[in-house]
Each structure stands twice: as structure tokens, then as C-alpha cells.
Amino acid sequence: MGRLVKLHIKDYVDQVYSNDDGVVIYQRLKNELENSNKVSVSFQDIKALNSSFINSAFVELLNDYDFQFIKENLSFVDSTKAINNTIKSRFSFEIDERKQYV
């Protein structure tokens, strides 16, 4: 059984605006999930995210895991309502889009 890992975004990237920044976080998340760890992502000192970062960091996980697994193993802390809503919106959109192709 894995452990709970707290991943502070600011420990890995200086900004949260680009796909490249998101890929850095995605790689960290995927590594922890592959090691059977649950991950708590901290947005401490971050006020907003854009969709490029969200897609590359979080939504990309849908290519590796189903949404139920992501919900059970990934959580967000030290966040704002705007960040939460944006992440939820991007996941919802992508899940709906993928259903059309099944």
C-alpha cells in the first residue's frame, strides 16, 4: 500500500502558465501514482491557473487512468474556488468529449 504524498506545485515550477510547466507536474504525479501513492496537490501561493497548465498537468492523466482512479488518488489543497472550478470544468469537458468517441 502506498502513502499520501503532498506535492507543492511551487517546489517544481516557478509559474503555472504553460504546457511545459504542466508537463513537469504531470510527470511527478504519474511517478507517484505508479508507485501506488495518493497525491495531494498544494496550490499554496497560487491564485489562478490557465487551461494549458491544467490540461498538461492533470487532464493528461486521463490517458493513463480512468476518472474514478484519479478521483480516488488525487486531491487538491491550499486552493481557491476559481482553481477548483477551472480544474473541474476541464475534466468534465474532456470526459464528455471522450464519451463521444467510445
Side-chain angles (χ1 to χ4, degrees), residues 2-78:
R3 59 191 172 94
L4 177 62
V5 174
K6 191 166 187 180
L7 189 149
H8 294 269
I9 297 282
K10 288 288 194 168
D11 287 349
Y12 299 97
V13 294
D14 293 325
Q15 56 188 10
V16 291
Y17 303 119
S18 72
N19 287 325
D20 290 341
D21 299 324
V23 168
V24 171
I25 300 305
Y26 163 78
Q27 291 170 339
R28 293 293 312 147
L29 291 171
K30 189 160 184 329
N31 183 57
E32 294 298 343
L33 294 170
E34 285 176 347
N35 287 311
S36 301
N37 294 323
K38 292 187 178 206
V39 184
S40 177
V41 178
S42 172
F43 294 103
Q44 187 173 357
D45 300 323
I46 298 171
K47 302 295 182 222
L49 303 174
N50 69 21
S51 60
S52 293
F53 177 85
I54 292 168
N55 289 340
S56 297
F58 307 116
V59 176
E60 186 68 21
L61 291 168
L62 289 170
N63 292 325
D64 306 303
Y65 307 102
D66 65 34
F67 186 59
Q68 187 62 37
F69 177 89
I70 294 169
K71 284 180 14 180
E72 292 171 359
N73 292 282
L74 184 64
S75 61
F76 303 107
V77 297
D78 306 319

